[in-house]
Amino acid sequence: MRNKVIINRQSIVLPWMISYIVILLLPVAIGLLLYVESNRTLKEEIQQANDSLLKQVREVMDNQFKAMEQLNFEMTWNVNMQELLYSNKYDAYPKEYRYDLYQIARSLSLYQTSYPLIDSFYVYLNKDQSVILPATVRTSSFAYDTLHKSEAFSYTSWQSTLNRSNFKGFIPMYRIGSENKLLKTVAYISTYPMEHNNPVATNVIMVDQSRILGAIQNMEIFNKGHVLILNEENQILASNSTDTLPSGFPFEELARSTQFYYTGSNGEKYEVFNIQSPRSKLKYVSIMPSVIYWQKAAHVRNLTYISMAISLLGGGILTYIFLRRNYHPVRRLVHAFSMKQNNTSHQRFNEFHFIQEAVDRTLIEVADSKTKMEQQRRIVRSHFIEKLLKGKLNSQIPIHEALTTFEMKLDRRDYAVMLFVVDKSETFTERITHLSEEESWKFLQFIVMNVVEELLAGQHRGYAAEIDDTLTCLVNLTTDNERSSKEELLRIAEEAQAFLSATYNIHLTIAISSIHEQLADVPQAFLEALDSMAFKMVMGGREILAYDDLQTNVISETNTGYDYPQQVEQQFLYTLKLGELAEAQQILSDIMHRNFECRDISVSLAKCLMLGLITTMMKSISETGDIQESFFIRNPQLIDRLLGSKTVQDMQKQLNDMLAQVCTYTAAKRQITISQTRQKAMQQLVEEVSTFIEHNYTDANLNVTMIGSHFDRKATYLSKLFKDYAGEGLLDRINKVRINKSKQLLRQQEQSVGDAAYGVGFNDINAFIRVFKKVEGITPGKYKELIDK
């Protein structure tokens, strides 16, 4: 036999050996795959890490540049600055010009305190070649000498930079620091609207490059690579290296790709990453030597070679050991079965096939015999259980002998009866169409009885039978007291329901009797289970009906109901309408505690309580918005699912989910109402301001400051609110009203241009003419001539 097994080509030794060799070669193939994929994978990971770090640099620097833009906005829209640049009052009061300059310089000192991260800023006035600094005003030449004088940044370059038309952006610049040292700085240049093809003024806000680099130098990319910040013209605003980029650097690639390779003049290869700021249009660029990429790749490659060598060596040894060990029990089994075969053949065979055929023959014979015996035993035992439950046993045969005959042991202390009624099994019967209706029903009964007996067999004893088209199970429990026995029965019933529903789509209603301590009380337990099953008509299907609970509820329901007073309902309704989820959940938790933990209520009353809570939720929706928008209307199955809950915890979970949806809806409706109220208040304020202008346009002192003082608001804030809502500034509205009124005066022949100007609040006729032409496109004199014609 041993020689046959070893030499036989059909023996399992050869397939096992081939399988082990294939498994042994699998790590080698994996190693080769890792070798091929490691470079690509590590490259992608490093690219992602580098991109993430670069985004961190962008986030840090965008916040810094945002502060510069915010300071520029406040300087530009400073009321005194706007009046200095665009008001004509200096034609009448030229001496106030110098005074207003110093007032603006004083206000810039306040900005210097509010923006500590800004190193320097000033306003360049093109009109008189002067520079407004915080707390002082200087001439342009003196300002250049004290702020920027250097060979790298000449006075001419400075002038041309500040006189650029309609420019707003970041540029590199030099400035002289507090220790009289020349510092590299990033400047934000913003010019004011032009007059006569020349900028009126220019804001200059500077942050030193050392401050920018200090904010990002703790990042890994800062230490390993070359980090650049470029403006729209590809000028270097900041760099962590003193080396300048070579003249052949492909700046055009930055706009086309976020990552590309670059070879320097010395032949060294670099990885270039860049991202663009979405708000400032600056480009953040990192340049990293390619050699850094391949350090980790080489390490992984070495690990791959080592793992392949270990796999080949260890796998070869294990193949020999396991092949030898696994074949020995197979050889012994073949020898044992071959000794029992009458017809021994010398033909070649596979050991597993030989064992399988021998085992199959033996099992078929045993199964046939066992099936016949089991069928007979089940029929007779089912008849015996029926007589035992109905109290009709033959008194001539001792009970213990009958139990021994049917292999039944009823030696535990507690007894109970469970009844099972099938509520729904259409899905199950549809899957076994090859059986007749009667055979399908018997098969279903067989499954249910086996599942129940298996669940009881772990700690207890259970014997199932069919009585009058109802599946019945006699239960003999092993428990310490009556309460634990009842809980154990409920647990087994729930597990049986869940398993049969999920596995076979068989849905049951289960009735459970009370616990009895004597076998003689089993007929009484059977009657109790029948009484419990009668409640199926009231409770609906797919329930677990316990006799003790039903009797307690029948007694208690005559004297009490559920606890949900009107005061609690009103409080619950109020929190729901406000969308306060936490408070609503607390009230719901208190209601559930009072009804289910502090007292016992029946299932029917519990369902009534659930309907009451749902009604309160629907009231909150109807009083807040449209009931047709309610998810209760769109999803009626939510209520059915709630009423079909099996436990209080399931009820409370579903109610909490509904609460979250209701509060989300009511809170959103409340926010919409608040927004509409604010919009109405804004409209009323604009109307009041417009009315005030209509009534006071003849007052020469009418301006933005006077209106802000009248409405007790900050002038700039009120002007911004008015412009955001009305679409035009307060000063434009004043001028528009005055010009419209002056047109009415000019239509009268006796009114001159001067009379019309003074009549609508202008003290300066030249200012009136300029504003009139700006609004109407022609001078007031020309307008009067057209009217007279």
Side-chain angles (χ1 to χ4, degrees), residues 32 43 60 70 87 137 141 145 148 210 308 333 494 582 594 607 667 716 725 740:
L32 294 175
K43 179 180 179 182
V60 172
Q70 183 66 28
S87 175
V137 179
S141 59
D145 292 339
H148 300 291
S210 59
M308 290 171 61
L333 283 174
E494 289 175 356
R594 288 197 303 271
K607 291 182 178 180
T716 54
Y725 188 84
N740 288 336

Side-chain angles (χ1 to χ4, degrees), residues 295-310:
Q295 291 178 354
K296 293 183 178 180
H299 179 65
V300 172
R301 185 169 58 250
N302 294 334
L303 290 178
T304 303
Y305 290 152
I306 294 173
S307 65
M308 290 171 61
I310 294 175

Side-chain angles (χ1 to χ4, degrees), residues 381 385 388-389 403 406-418 420 449-464 472-479 488-489 491-492 515 519 522:
R381 191 179 75 169
I385 294 173
L388 177 63
L389 293 175
L403 293 175
F406 297 113
E407 298 180 357
M408 295 174 60
K409 292 183 179 180
L410 300 177
D411 53 356
R412 310 298 169 89
R413 191 186 71 177
D414 295 336
Y415 297 89
V417 175
M418 301 175 70
F420 304 87
M449 289 191 292
N450 275 275
V451 168
V452 174
E453 289 181 352
E454 286 294 330
L455 290 174
L456 288 167
Q459 300 178 2
H460 319 287
R461 304 191 190 281
Y463 303 99
T472 308
C473 184
L474 172 61
V475 183
N476 191 204
L477 295 164
T478 306
T479 49
E488 187 68 10
L489 284 175
R491 180 189 66 80
I492 293 170
I515 306 300
L519 182 61
V522 168

Side-chain angles (χ1 to χ4, degrees), residues 738-747 772 776 783:
R738 284 176 167 173
I739 296 305
N740 288 336
K741 297 296 182 180
S742 68
K743 288 164 63 178
Q744 297 177 9
L745 295 175
L746 289 172
R747 293 191 185 99
F772 192 97
E776 297 295 331
Y783 178 80

